[in-house]
Coordinates of all heavy atoms in Angstrom, one line a residue:
M1 N -16.9 -9.4 -6.1 CA -17.6 -8.7 -7.2 C -17.0 -9.3 -8.5 O -15.9 -9.5 -8.7 CB -17.3 -7.2 -7.1 CG -17.8 -6.4 -8.3 SD -17.3 -4.7 -8.1 CE -18.3 -4.0 -9.4
A2 N -17.9 -9.5 -9.4 CA -17.5 -10.0 -10.7 C -18.2 -9.1 -11.8 O -19.2 -8.5 -11.5 CB -17.9 -11.4 -10.9
T3 N -17.6 -9.0 -12.9 CA -18.1 -8.2 -14.0 C -18.0 -9.0 -15.3 O -17.2 -9.8 -15.4 CB -17.4 -6.8 -14.1 OG1 -18.0 -6.0 -15.0 CG2 -15.9 -7.0 -14.5
L4 N -18.9 -8.7 -16.1 CA -18.9 -9.4 -17.4 C -17.9 -8.7 -18.4 O -17.8 -7.4 -18.3 CB -20.3 -9.4 -18.1 CG -21.3 -10.3 -17.4 CD1 -22.7 -10.1 -18.1 CD2 -20.9 -11.7 -17.4
T5 N -17.3 -9.4 -19.1 CA -16.3 -8.9 -20.1 C -16.5 -9.6 -21.4 O -16.9 -10.7 -21.5 CB -14.9 -9.0 -19.6 OG1 -14.0 -8.3 -20.6 CG2 -14.4 -10.4 -19.5
A6 N -16.3 -8.9 -22.5 CA -16.4 -9.5 -23.8 C -15.1 -9.3 -24.6 O -14.6 -8.2 -24.6 CB -17.6 -8.9 -24.6
N7 N -14.6 -10.4 -25.2 CA -13.6 -10.2 -26.1 C -14.1 -10.8 -27.4 O -15.2 -11.4 -27.5 CB -12.2 -10.8 -25.7 CG -12.3 -12.3 -25.3 OD1 -13.2 -13.0 -25.8 ND2 -11.4 -12.7 -24.5
S8 N -13.4 -10.8 -28.5 CA -13.9 -11.1 -29.8 C -15.0 -12.2 -29.9 O -16.0 -11.9 -30.5 CB -12.7 -11.5 -30.7 OG -12.0 -12.6 -30.1
S9 N -14.8 -13.3 -29.2 CA -15.8 -14.3 -29.4 C -16.3 -14.9 -28.1 O -17.2 -15.7 -28.0 CB -15.3 -15.5 -30.3 OG -14.2 -16.1 -29.6
K10 N -15.8 -14.5 -27.0 CA -16.1 -15.0 -25.7 C -16.7 -14.0 -24.7 O -16.3 -12.8 -24.7 CB -14.9 -15.7 -25.0 CG -14.3 -16.8 -25.7 CD -13.1 -17.4 -25.0 CE -12.5 -18.5 -25.7 NZ -11.3 -19.0 -25.0
V11 N -17.7 -14.4 -24.0 CA -18.2 -13.5 -22.9 C -17.9 -14.3 -21.6 O -18.3 -15.5 -21.5 CB -19.7 -13.3 -23.1 CG1 -20.2 -12.5 -21.9 CG2 -19.9 -12.5 -24.3
G12 N -17.3 -13.7 -20.6 CA -17.0 -14.4 -19.4 C -17.0 -13.5 -18.2 O -17.2 -12.3 -18.3
R13 N -16.7 -14.0 -17.1 CA -16.6 -13.2 -15.8 C -15.2 -13.0 -15.5 O -14.4 -13.9 -15.6 CB -17.4 -13.9 -14.7 CG -18.8 -14.0 -14.9 CD -19.5 -14.4 -13.6 NE -21.0 -14.4 -13.8 CZ -21.7 -13.3 -13.5 NH1 -21.2 -12.3 -13.0 NH2 -23.0 -13.3 -13.7
V14 N -14.9 -11.8 -15.0 CA -13.6 -11.4 -14.5 C -13.7 -11.0 -13.1 O -14.6 -10.3 -12.7 CB -13.1 -10.2 -15.4 CG1 -11.7 -9.8 -14.8 CG2 -12.9 -10.6 -16.8
H15 N -12.8 -11.5 -12.3 CA -12.7 -11.2 -10.9 C -12.2 -9.7 -10.7 O -11.2 -9.4 -11.3 CB -11.9 -12.1 -10.1 CG -11.7 -11.7 -8.6 ND1 -12.7 -11.8 -7.7 CD2 -10.6 -11.2 -8.0 CE1 -12.3 -11.3 -6.6 NE2 -11.0 -10.9 -6.7
V16 N -13.0 -8.9 -10.0 CA -12.5 -7.6 -9.7 C -12.3 -7.5 -8.2 O -13.3 -7.6 -7.4 CB -13.6 -6.5 -10.1 CG1 -13.1 -5.1 -9.7 CG2 -13.8 -6.6 -11.6
P17 N -11.1 -7.3 -7.7 CA -10.8 -7.2 -6.3 C -11.6 -6.1 -5.6 O -11.7 -5.0 -6.1 CB -9.3 -7.0 -6.2 CG -8.8 -7.3 -7.5 CD -9.9 -7.1 -8.5
T18 N -12.2 -6.4 -4.4 CA -12.9 -5.4 -3.7 C -12.3 -5.1 -2.4 O -12.8 -4.3 -1.6 CB -14.4 -5.8 -3.5 OG1 -14.3 -7.1 -2.8 CG2 -15.1 -6.0 -4.8
S19 N -11.1 -5.7 -2.1 CA -10.4 -5.4 -0.8 C -8.9 -5.4 -1.1 O -8.5 -5.9 -2.2 CB -10.8 -6.4 0.2 OG -10.3 -7.7 -0.2
A20 N -8.2 -4.9 -0.2 CA -6.7 -4.9 -0.3 C -6.1 -5.2 1.1 O -6.3 -4.5 2.0 CB -6.2 -3.5 -0.8
I21 N -5.4 -6.3 1.1 CA -4.7 -6.7 2.4 C -3.2 -6.6 2.1 O -2.7 -7.3 1.3 CB -5.1 -8.1 2.8 CG1 -6.6 -8.2 3.0 CG2 -4.3 -8.5 4.0 CD1 -7.2 -9.5 3.3
A22 N -2.6 -5.7 2.8 CA -1.1 -5.5 2.6 C -0.3 -6.6 3.3 O -0.7 -7.0 4.4 CB -0.7 -4.1 3.2
K23 N 0.7 -7.1 2.6 CA 1.6 -8.1 3.2 C 2.9 -7.5 3.6 O 3.5 -7.9 4.6 CB 1.8 -9.1 2.0 CG 2.2 -10.5 2.5 CD 2.1 -11.5 1.3 CE 3.1 -11.2 0.3 NZ 3.3 -12.3 -0.7
S24 N 3.5 -6.6 2.8 CA 4.7 -6.0 3.1 C 4.9 -4.7 2.4 O 4.1 -4.3 1.5 CB 5.9 -6.9 2.7 OG 5.9 -7.1 1.3
V25 N 5.9 -3.9 2.9 CA 6.1 -2.6 2.3 C 7.6 -2.5 2.0 O 8.5 -3.0 2.8 CB 5.8 -1.5 3.3 CG1 6.0 -0.1 2.7 CG2 4.3 -1.6 3.7
E26 N 8.0 -1.9 0.9 CA 9.4 -1.6 0.6 C 9.5 -0.2 0.0 O 8.6 0.3 -0.5 CB 10.0 -2.7 -0.3 CG 9.4 -2.7 -1.7 CD 10.1 -3.9 -2.5 OE1 10.5 -4.9 -2.0 OE2 10.1 -3.7 -3.8
F27 N 10.7 0.3 0.1 CA 11.0 1.7 -0.3 C 12.2 1.7 -1.3 O 13.1 1.0 -1.1 CB 11.4 2.6 0.9 CG 10.2 2.8 1.8 CD1 10.1 1.9 2.9 CD2 9.4 3.8 1.7 CE1 9.0 2.1 3.8 CE2 8.3 4.0 2.5 CZ 8.1 3.1 3.6
S28 N 12.1 2.6 -2.3 CA 13.2 3.0 -3.1 C 13.5 4.4 -2.7 O 12.9 5.0 -1.8 CB 12.9 2.9 -4.6 OG 12.0 3.9 -4.9
D29 N 14.4 5.1 -3.4 CA 14.7 6.5 -3.0 C 13.5 7.4 -3.2 O 13.4 8.4 -2.5 CB 15.9 7.0 -3.9 CG 17.2 6.4 -3.5 OD1 17.3 5.8 -2.3 OD2 18.1 6.4 -4.3
E30 N 12.6 7.0 -4.2 CA 11.5 7.9 -4.5 C 10.1 7.3 -4.3 O 9.2 8.0 -4.4 CB 11.7 8.4 -5.9 CG 13.0 9.2 -6.1 CD 13.1 9.7 -7.6 OE1 12.2 9.4 -8.4 OE2 14.1 10.3 -7.8
M31 N 10.1 6.0 -4.1 CA 8.8 5.4 -4.1 C 8.5 4.5 -2.9 O 9.5 4.0 -2.3 CB 8.6 4.5 -5.4 CG 8.7 5.2 -6.7 SD 7.4 6.3 -7.1 CE 6.1 5.2 -7.5
M32 N 7.3 4.3 -2.5 CA 6.9 3.3 -1.5 C 6.0 2.3 -2.3 O 5.1 2.7 -3.0 CB 6.1 3.9 -0.4 CG 5.5 2.9 0.5 SD 4.6 3.6 2.0 CE 3.2 4.4 1.1
S33 N 6.3 1.0 -2.1 CA 5.6 0.0 -2.8 C 5.0 -0.9 -1.7 O 5.7 -1.4 -0.8 CB 6.5 -0.9 -3.7 OG 7.0 -0.1 -4.7
V34 N 3.7 -1.1 -1.8 CA 2.9 -2.0 -0.9 C 2.6 -3.3 -1.6 O 1.9 -3.2 -2.6 CB 1.7 -1.3 -0.3 CG1 0.9 -2.2 0.6 CG2 2.0 0.0 0.4
H35 N 3.0 -4.4 -1.1 CA 2.8 -5.7 -1.7 C 1.5 -6.3 -1.0 O 1.5 -6.4 0.2 CB 4.0 -6.6 -1.5 CG 5.2 -6.1 -2.2 ND1 5.6 -6.6 -3.4 CD2 6.1 -5.2 -1.9 CE1 6.7 -6.0 -3.8 NE2 7.0 -5.1 -2.9
L36 N 0.5 -6.6 -1.9 CA -0.7 -7.1 -1.4 C -0.8 -8.6 -1.3 O 0.0 -9.3 -2.1 CB -1.9 -6.6 -2.2 CG -2.0 -5.0 -2.3 CD1 -3.1 -4.6 -3.2 CD2 -2.0 -4.4 -1.0
A37 N -1.6 -9.2 -0.5 CA -1.7 -10.6 -0.3 C -2.1 -11.3 -1.6 O -1.7 -12.5 -1.8 CB -2.7 -10.9 0.8
D38 N -2.9 -10.6 -2.5 CA -3.3 -11.3 -3.7 C -2.3 -11.2 -4.9 O -2.5 -11.5 -6.0 CB -4.6 -10.8 -4.2 CG -4.6 -9.3 -4.5 OD1 -3.6 -8.7 -4.5 OD2 -5.7 -8.8 -4.8
G39 N -1.1 -10.6 -4.5 CA 0.0 -10.5 -5.5 C 0.1 -9.2 -6.2 O 1.1 -8.9 -6.9
R40 N -0.9 -8.3 -6.1 CA -0.7 -7.0 -6.6 C 0.3 -6.2 -5.8 O 0.5 -6.4 -4.7 CB -2.1 -6.2 -6.6 CG -3.1 -6.8 -7.5 CD -4.4 -6.1 -7.4 NE -5.0 -6.4 -6.1 CZ -6.0 -5.6 -5.5 NH1 -6.4 -4.5 -6.1 NH2 -6.4 -5.9 -4.3
V41 N 0.9 -5.2 -6.5 CA 1.8 -4.2 -5.9 C 1.3 -2.8 -6.2 O 1.1 -2.5 -7.4 CB 3.2 -4.4 -6.4 CG1 4.2 -3.4 -5.7 CG2 3.7 -5.8 -6.1
I42 N 1.2 -2.0 -5.2 CA 0.7 -0.6 -5.4 C 1.9 0.3 -5.0 O 2.4 0.2 -3.9 CB -0.5 -0.3 -4.5 CG1 -1.7 -1.2 -4.9 CG2 -0.8 1.2 -4.6 CD1 -2.8 -1.0 -3.9
S43 N 2.4 1.1 -5.9 CA 3.5 2.0 -5.7 C 3.1 3.4 -5.8 O 2.3 3.8 -6.7 CB 4.6 1.7 -6.7 OG 5.1 0.4 -6.6
V44 N 3.5 4.2 -4.9 CA 3.2 5.7 -4.8 C 4.5 6.5 -4.6 O 5.4 6.0 -3.9 CB 2.1 6.0 -3.8 CG1 0.8 5.3 -4.2 CG2 2.6 5.6 -2.4
P45 N 4.5 7.7 -5.0 CA 5.7 8.5 -4.8 C 5.8 8.9 -3.3 O 4.8 9.3 -2.7 CB 5.5 9.8 -5.6 CG 4.2 9.7 -6.2 CD 3.6 8.3 -5.9
L46 N 7.0 8.9 -2.7 CA 7.2 9.3 -1.3 C 6.9 10.8 -1.1 O 6.6 11.2 0.0 CB 8.6 9.1 -0.9 CG 8.9 7.6 -0.5 CD1 10.4 7.4 -0.2 CD2 8.1 7.2 0.7
T47 N 6.8 11.6 -2.2 CA 6.5 13.0 -2.0 C 5.0 13.2 -1.6 O 4.7 14.2 -1.0 CB 6.7 13.8 -3.4 OG1 5.9 13.1 -4.4 CG2 8.1 13.8 -3.8
W48 N 4.2 12.1 -1.7 CA 2.8 12.2 -1.2 C 2.8 12.1 0.3 O 1.8 12.4 0.9 CB 2.0 11.1 -1.8 CG 1.7 11.2 -3.3 CD1 2.1 12.2 -4.1 CD2 0.9 10.3 -4.0 NE1 1.7 12.0 -5.4 CE2 0.9 10.8 -5.4 CE3 0.2 9.2 -3.8 CZ2 0.2 10.2 -6.4 CZ3 -0.5 8.6 -4.8 CH2 -0.5 9.1 -6.1
F49 N 3.9 11.6 0.9 CA 4.0 11.4 2.4 C 5.2 12.0 2.9 O 6.2 11.3 3.1 CB 4.0 9.8 2.7 CG 2.8 9.1 2.1 CD1 2.9 8.5 0.8 CD2 1.6 9.0 2.7 CE1 1.8 7.8 0.3 CE2 0.5 8.4 2.2 CZ 0.6 7.8 0.9
P50 N 5.2 13.3 3.1 CA 6.5 14.0 3.5 C 7.1 13.5 4.7 O 8.4 13.4 4.8 CB 6.0 15.5 3.8 CG 4.7 15.6 2.9 CD 4.1 14.2 2.9
L51 N 6.4 13.0 5.7 CA 7.0 12.5 6.9 C 7.8 11.2 6.6 O 8.9 10.9 7.2 CB 6.0 12.3 8.1 CG 5.5 13.6 8.7 CD1 4.4 13.3 9.7 CD2 6.7 14.4 9.3
L52 N 7.2 10.3 5.8 CA 7.9 9.1 5.4 C 9.1 9.4 4.5 O 10.1 8.8 4.6 CB 6.9 8.1 4.7 CG 6.0 7.4 5.7 CD1 5.0 6.6 4.8 CD2 6.7 6.6 6.7
R53 N 8.9 10.4 3.6 CA 10.0 10.8 2.7 C 11.2 11.2 3.5 O 12.3 10.9 3.2 CB 9.5 11.9 1.8 CG 10.6 12.4 0.8 CD 10.3 13.8 0.3 NE 10.1 14.8 1.3 CZ 9.3 15.8 1.3 NH1 8.5 16.0 0.3 NH2 9.3 16.6 2.3
D54 N 11.0 12.0 4.6 CA 12.1 12.5 5.4 C 12.5 11.6 6.5 O 13.5 11.8 7.1 CB 11.6 13.8 6.0 CG 11.3 14.9 5.0 OD1 11.8 14.8 3.8 OD2 10.6 15.8 5.3
A55 N 11.8 10.4 6.7 CA 12.2 9.5 7.7 C 13.5 8.7 7.3 O 13.7 8.5 6.1 CB 11.1 8.5 8.0
S56 N 14.2 8.2 8.2 CA 15.3 7.4 7.9 C 14.9 6.0 7.5 O 13.7 5.6 7.8 CB 16.2 7.2 9.2 OG 15.6 6.5 10.2
P57 N 15.7 5.2 6.9 CA 15.3 3.8 6.5 C 14.9 3.0 7.8 O 14.0 2.2 7.7 CB 16.6 3.3 5.9 CG 17.2 4.4 5.3 CD 17.0 5.6 6.3
A58 N 15.6 3.3 8.9 CA 15.2 2.5 10.1 C 13.8 2.9 10.6 O 13.1 2.1 11.0 CB 16.3 2.8 11.2
E59 N 13.5 4.2 10.5 CA 12.1 4.6 10.9 C 11.1 4.1 9.9 O 10.0 3.7 10.4 CB 12.1 6.2 10.9 CG 12.8 6.8 12.0 CD 12.9 8.3 11.9 OE1 13.1 8.8 10.8 OE2 12.7 9.0 13.0
R60 N 11.4 4.0 8.7 CA 10.4 3.5 7.7 C 10.2 2.0 7.9 O 9.1 1.5 7.7 CB 10.9 3.7 6.3 CG 11.0 5.1 5.8 CD 11.5 5.2 4.4 NE 11.7 6.5 4.0 CZ 12.5 6.9 3.0 NH1 13.1 5.9 2.2 NH2 12.6 8.1 2.7
A61 N 11.2 1.3 8.4 CA 11.1 -0.1 8.7 C 10.3 -0.4 9.9 O 9.9 -1.6 10.1 CB 12.5 -0.7 8.8
Q62 N 10.0 0.6 10.7 CA 9.2 0.3 12.0 C 7.7 0.5 11.7 O 7.1 1.3 12.4 CB 9.7 1.3 13.0 CG 11.1 1.0 13.5 CD 11.5 2.0 14.5 OE1 10.7 2.8 15.0 NE2 12.8 2.0 14.9
Y63 N 7.2 -0.2 10.8 CA 5.7 -0.2 10.6 C 5.1 -1.4 11.2 O 5.7 -2.4 11.5 CB 5.4 -0.1 9.1 CG 5.7 -1.3 8.3 CD1 4.8 -2.3 8.1 CD2 6.9 -1.4 7.6 CE1 5.1 -3.4 7.4 CE2 7.2 -2.5 6.9 CZ 6.3 -3.5 6.7 OH 6.6 -4.6 6.0
E64 N 3.8 -1.3 11.5 CA 3.0 -2.5 11.9 C 1.8 -2.6 11.1 O 1.2 -1.6 10.7 CB 2.7 -2.4 13.4 CG 1.9 -1.2 13.8 CD 1.7 -1.1 15.3 OE1 2.7 -1.2 16.0 OE2 0.6 -0.8 15.7
M65 N 1.4 -3.8 10.8 CA 0.1 -4.0 10.0 C -1.1 -3.8 10.9 O -1.1 -4.3 12.0 CB 0.1 -5.4 9.4 CG 1.3 -5.6 8.5 SD 1.4 -4.4 7.2 CE 1.4 -5.3 5.8
V66 N -2.0 -3.0 10.5 CA -3.2 -2.7 11.2 C -4.4 -3.0 10.3 O -4.3 -3.0 9.1 CB -3.3 -1.3 11.7 CG1 -2.2 -1.0 12.7 CG2 -3.2 -0.3 10.6
A67 N -5.6 -3.3 10.9 CA -6.8 -3.6 10.2 C -7.7 -2.4 10.3 O -8.1 -2.0 11.4 CB -7.4 -4.9 10.6
A68 N -8.2 -1.9 9.2 CA -9.3 -0.9 9.2 C -10.6 -1.7 9.0 O -10.6 -2.7 8.3 CB -9.1 0.1 8.1
V69 N -11.6 -1.2 9.6 CA -12.9 -1.9 9.6 C -13.4 -2.2 8.2 O -13.8 -3.3 7.8 CB -13.9 -1.2 10.5 CG1 -15.3 -2.0 10.4 CG2 -13.4 -1.1 11.9
T70 N -13.5 -1.1 7.4 CA -14.1 -1.3 6.1 C -13.3 -1.1 4.8 O -13.7 -1.5 3.8 CB -15.3 -0.3 5.9 OG1 -14.7 1.0 6.1 CG2 -16.3 -0.5 7.0
V71 N -12.1 -0.5 5.0 CA -11.4 -0.2 3.8 C -10.2 -1.2 3.4 O -10.3 -1.8 2.4 CB -10.8 1.2 3.9 CG1 -10.0 1.6 2.7 CG2 -11.9 2.2 4.2
C72 N -9.2 -1.3 4.3 CA -8.1 -2.1 3.9 C -7.3 -2.5 5.2 O -7.6 -2.0 6.2 CB -7.2 -1.4 3.0 SG -6.3 0.0 3.7
I73 N -6.4 -3.4 5.0 CA -5.5 -3.8 6.0 C -4.1 -3.4 5.5 O -3.7 -3.7 4.4 CB -5.5 -5.3 6.3 CG1 -6.9 -5.7 6.8 CG2 -4.5 -5.7 7.3 CD1 -7.1 -7.1 6.9
G74 N -3.4 -2.5 6.3 CA -2.1 -2.0 5.8 C -1.2 -1.5 6.8 O -1.4 -1.7 8.0
P75 N -0.1 -0.9 6.4 CA 0.9 -0.5 7.3 C 0.6 0.8 8.0 O -0.2 1.6 7.6 CB 2.1 -0.2 6.4 CG 1.5 0.1 5.0 CD 0.2 -0.7 5.0
N76 N 1.2 1.0 9.2 CA 1.0 2.1 10.1 C 2.3 2.5 10.6 O 3.0 1.7 11.2 CB 0.0 1.7 11.2 CG -0.3 2.9 12.1 OD1 0.3 4.0 12.0 ND2 -1.3 2.7 13.0
W77 N 2.6 3.8 10.5 CA 3.8 4.4 11.1 C 3.6 5.3 12.2 O 4.1 6.4 12.3 CB 4.6 5.1 10.0 CG 5.3 4.2 9.0 CD1 6.5 3.7 9.1 CD2 4.8 3.7 7.8 NE1 6.8 2.9 8.1 CE2 5.8 2.9 7.2 CE3 3.6 3.9 7.1 CZ2 5.6 2.3 6.0 CZ3 3.4 3.3 5.9 CH2 4.4 2.4 5.4
T78 N 2.7 5.0 13.2 CA 2.3 5.8 14.3 C 3.5 6.4 15.0 O 3.6 7.6 15.3 CB 1.4 5.1 15.2 OG1 0.2 4.6 14.5 CG2 0.9 6.0 16.3
K79 N 4.5 5.5 15.4 CA 5.6 6.0 16.1 C 6.4 7.0 15.4 O 6.9 8.0 15.9 CB 6.5 4.8 16.5 CG 5.8 3.9 17.5 CD 6.7 2.7 17.9 CE 6.0 1.8 18.8 NZ 6.7 0.5 19.0
T80 N 6.6 6.8 14.1 CA 7.4 7.7 13.3 C 6.7 9.1 13.2 O 7.3 10.1 13.4 CB 7.6 7.2 11.8 OG1 8.3 6.0 11.9 CG2 8.3 8.2 11.0
Y81 N 5.4 9.1 12.9 CA 4.6 10.3 12.9 C 4.6 11.0 14.2 O 4.7 12.2 14.3 CB 3.2 10.0 12.3 CG 3.1 9.9 10.8 CD1 3.2 8.7 10.2 CD2 3.0 11.0 10.0 CE1 3.1 8.6 8.8 CE2 3.0 10.9 8.7 CZ 3.1 9.7 8.1 OH 3.0 9.6 6.7
Q82 N 4.4 10.3 15.3 CA 4.3 10.9 16.6 C 5.7 11.6 17.0 O 5.7 12.6 17.6 CB 3.9 9.9 17.7 CG 2.5 9.5 17.6 CD 2.1 8.3 18.5 OE1 3.0 7.7 19.1 NE2 0.8 8.1 18.7
S83 N 6.8 10.9 16.6 CA 8.1 11.5 17.0 C 8.4 12.7 16.2 O 9.2 13.5 16.6 CB 9.2 10.4 16.8 OG 9.4 10.1 15.5
R84 N 7.8 12.9 15.0 CA 8.1 14.0 14.1 C 7.1 15.1 14.2 O 7.3 16.2 13.7 CB 8.3 13.5 12.7 CG 9.5 12.6 12.5 CD 9.5 12.2 11.1 NE 10.8 11.4 10.9 CZ 11.9 12.0 10.4 NH1 11.9 13.3 10.1 NH2 13.0 11.3 10.2
A85 N 6.0 14.9 14.9 CA 4.9 15.9 15.0 C 5.3 17.0 16.0 O 6.1 16.9 16.8 CB 3.6 15.2 15.4

């Protein structure tokens, strides 16, 4: 997808990403950051994911990349969620 943009004297096209492919995940004490293949980084608070917030660093590290059909490709913690359910 492209969109037109205008600045003072130029009109041009700007690339607008329409997909997100996760490359890796890292954690701080309060945040989860997903690094995308195109260089973007999306960070969210761990409070949004109570099971991951309460998981040990070893459990958080046990993710696998999965592909969703239409939305994104990203991490999955099925084993962590199953063991805590």
Side-chain angles (χ1 to χ4, degrees):
M1 173 183 193
T3 187
L4 290 176
T5 184
N7 59 23
S8 58
S9 63
K10 297 181 182 179
V11 174
R13 293 194 175 264
V14 174
H15 174 72
V16 177
T18 58
S19 64
I21 299 173
K23 199 169 72 167
S24 64
V25 181
E26 64 182 31
F27 294 91
S28 69
D29 290 339
E30 297 180 2
M31 301 292 285
M32 173 176 67
S33 298
V34 179
H35 297 260
L36 304 179
D38 63 6
R40 293 177 291 160
V41 178
I42 300 171
S43 297
V44 295
L46 280 173
T47 56
W48 291 3
F49 305 94
L51 290 174
L52 285 176
R53 178 197 62 213
D54 298 339
S56 69
E59 289 174 315
R60 291 179 189 163
Q62 293 179 8
Y63 68 89
E64 59 185 46
M65 298 309 234
V66 297
V69 177
T70 58
V71 180
C72 68
I73 297 173
N76 181 354
W77 285 272
T78 302
K79 291 177 185 174
T80 299
Y81 278 94
Q82 288 173 346
S83 68
R84 291 178 174 265

